């Protein structure tokens, strides 16, 4: 029996940035499978509890999420796509809560750090760290907290019925997270590709890696990312995770054939269409009517 909605496993709960990324890639007609860890998302896919996984792999401020590279290699599910999501952080509270009465602000520690300039203006607020931005919004809703605000996305504000007190409080407005889309080999559909994620090892000799990189350059294949990870239990041995892009498939095919001579444990993690940069304009997801911005610069600031 054909399923009506694709089941998409995400790390975190509904209204998290992972679900927002899933909506951006698949559309909103999906069934979200909430998982408490990235490993659990892969287990859900392996156990046929999900059809796809949406997994963050890097952030333009925080950098690569290194443990997730190991998951890619250990589970060997193919990468079939990617999506770049602009990270837009908003301050939210229960309806009717006045900002001057707030004592606590709660969110994921990375989200808090990305809003440090905003909270420098309000030193009386006590920071409470949590493991998920959406979970903080949900807690305010469930426990009816009138002295606490959360930092999360607009999806969380709508789902958990919170008012957005201040929009776009992140310090860096050009912050993006890259997410990978994975599925099983049986569900992977071969499509025209212009990007690939590869993993390989080279010998521990002078110029070994340079030979591989020069082959990409000579074939006109652009290497958009390289990440090294130590091979567990082996001294001076590394896995190199490389993302490459090309204009003509023959360039990529020729490069792969040549680098096989200089690498071992070579793996193609996925071949897919690269995300269109034209779609990365900072547009909020169409999930809630815009509310007028409220400014609190006139509030008397308390000094510790």
């Amino acid at each position: 029996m054909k399923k009506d909605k694709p089941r998409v496993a995400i790390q975190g709960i509904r209204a998290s940035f992972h679900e927002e990324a899933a909506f951006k890639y698949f559309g909103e007609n999906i069934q979200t499978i909430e998982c408490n860890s990235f490993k659990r998302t892969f287990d859900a896919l392996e156990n046929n509890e999900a059809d796809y996984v949406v997994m963050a792999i890097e952030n333009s401020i925080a950098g690569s999420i290194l443990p997730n590279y190991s998951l890619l290699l250990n589970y060997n599910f193919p990468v079939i796509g990617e999506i770049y999501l602009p990270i837009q952080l908003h301050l939210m509270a229960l309806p009717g809560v006045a900002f001057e009465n707030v004592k606590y602000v709660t969110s994921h520690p990375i989200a808090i750090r990305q809003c440090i300039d905003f909270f420098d203006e309000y030193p009386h607020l006590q920071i409470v760290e949590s493991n998920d931005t959406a979970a903080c919004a949900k807690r305010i809703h469930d426990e009816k907290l009138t002295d606490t605000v959360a930092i999360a996305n607009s999806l969380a504000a709508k789902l958990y019925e919170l008012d957005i007190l201040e929009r776009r409080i992140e310090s860096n407005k050009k912050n993006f997270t890259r997410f990978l889309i994975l599925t099983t080999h049986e569900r992977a559909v071969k499509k025209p590709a212009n990007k690939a994620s590869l993993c390989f090892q080279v010998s521990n000799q002078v110029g070994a890696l340079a030979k591989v990189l020069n082959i990409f350059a000579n074939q006109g294949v652009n290497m958009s990312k390289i990440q090294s990870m130590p091979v567990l239990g082996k001294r001076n041995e590394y896995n190199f995770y490389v993302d490459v892009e090309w204009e003509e498939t023959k360039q990529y095919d020729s490069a792969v054939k040549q680098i096989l001579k200089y690498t071992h444990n070579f793996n193609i993690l996925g071949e897919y269409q690269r995300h269109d940069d034209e779609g990365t304009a900072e547009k909020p997801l169409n999930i809630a009517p815009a509310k007028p911005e409220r400014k609190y610069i006139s509030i008397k600031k308390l000094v510790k």
Side-chain angles (χ1 to χ4, degrees):
M1 182 177 178
K2 187 176 179 180
K3 301 181 181 67
D4 294 330
K5 297 182 180 180
R7 301 170 299 170
V8 182
I10 64 168
Q11 186 275 322
I13 68 171
R14 292 195 59 203
S16 65
F17 284 105
H18 274 83
E19 187 178 52
E20 187 174 347
F23 286 164
K24 188 172 182 180
Y25 187 87
F26 292 101
E28 296 186 38
N29 190 31
I30 63 173
Q31 179 184 349
T32 301
I33 308 299
E34 299 175 339
C35 301
N36 58 16
S37 70
F38 287 112
K39 183 181 183 301
R40 180 70 187 93
T41 65
F42 280 77
D43 290 338
L45 187 56
E46 187 173 57
N47 298 330
N48 197 32
E49 299 168 6
D51 303 315
Y52 300 93
V53 166
V54 173
M55 180 185 72
I57 196 68
E58 62 180 307
N59 175 264
S60 56
I61 294 178
S64 298
I65 306 175
L66 296 180
N68 288 357
Y69 282 93
S70 297
L71 291 174
L72 289 176
L73 192 60
N74 293 340
Y75 281 83
N76 195 33
F77 289 125
V79 179
I80 62 167
E82 65 176 359
I83 196 77
Y84 283 81
L85 183 71
I87 303 302
Q88 301 178 355
L89 298 168
H90 312 300
L91 197 70
M92 56 194 67
L94 285 175
V97 168
F99 184 77
E100 56 264 33
N101 296 327
V102 170
K103 299 178 182 178
Y104 307 98
V105 56
T106 180
S107 192
H108 190 281
I110 292 179
I112 292 170
R113 287 200 296 271
Q114 291 174 359
C115 303
I116 194 66
D117 290 342
F118 179 85
F119 290 108
D120 278 348
E121 297 295 315
Y122 307 102
H124 64 286
L125 292 177
Q126 298 184 41
I127 305 297
V128 180
E129 295 184 351
S130 181
N131 61 354
D132 186 77
T133 55
C136 294
K138 184 176 186 297
R139 177 171 172 261
I140 289 177
H141 172 269
D142 292 348
E143 300 180 17
K144 306 300 179 187
L145 302 178
T146 58
D147 60 353
T148 304
V149 290
I151 305 170
N153 59 14
S154 53
L155 191 61
K158 182 191 178 189
L159 183 62
Y160 302 116
E161 301 176 321
L162 303 181
D163 279 350
I164 295 180
L165 302 180
E166 189 84 6
R167 294 182 180 273
R168 304 300 307 278
I169 66 171
E170 70 273 13
S171 302
N172 189 323
K173 308 301 182 185
K174 300 294 184 181
N175 182 17
F176 289 82
T177 295
R178 179 187 176 214
F179 296 82
L180 298 180
I181 316 300
L182 302 100
T183 189
T184 61
H185 289 277
E186 295 75 20
R187 290 191 181 91
V189 178
K190 189 71 174 178
K191 295 180 180 179
N194 55 14
K195 187 170 184 176
S197 295
L198 311 174
C199 180
F200 55 81
Q201 299 172 29
V202 297
S203 60
N204 187 23
Q205 297 177 353
V206 174
L209 180 59
K211 289 179 181 178
V212 174
L213 303 186
N214 284 333
I215 290 172
F216 286 134
N218 293 337
Q219 295 300 315
V221 175
N222 177 48
M223 186 184 68
S224 58
K225 181 178 176 63
I226 183 170
Q227 180 71 55
S228 63
M229 289 275 290
V231 177
L232 188 63
K234 295 187 177 181
R235 184 170 172 264
N236 293 330
E237 292 190 28
Y238 295 85
N239 285 315
F240 291 96
Y241 295 87
V242 173
D243 291 334
V244 294
E245 304 174 358
W246 60 89
E247 297 303 324
E248 297 184 16
T249 303
K250 63 182 181 180
Q251 298 170 295
Y252 167 70
D253 291 340
S254 179
V256 169
K257 289 178 182 178
Q258 293 182 52
I259 67 175
L260 286 173
K261 303 174 185 177
Y262 303 101
T263 62
H264 54 278
N265 294 333
F266 182 88
N267 286 275
I268 297 177
L269 302 175
E271 298 170 342
Y272 48 94
Q273 293 181 0
R274 65 176 174 260
H275 179 72
D276 182 7
D277 288 336
E278 292 181 359
T280 60
E282 297 181 12
K283 299 176 182 178
L285 199 64
N286 185 24
I287 56 169
K291 296 182 180 181
E293 288 192 0
R294 305 178 186 179
K295 300 295 183 182
Y296 298 107
I297 55 175
S298 61
I299 292 178
K300 183 178 180 181
K301 301 165 190 172
L302 304 180
V303 181
K304 290 183 179 180

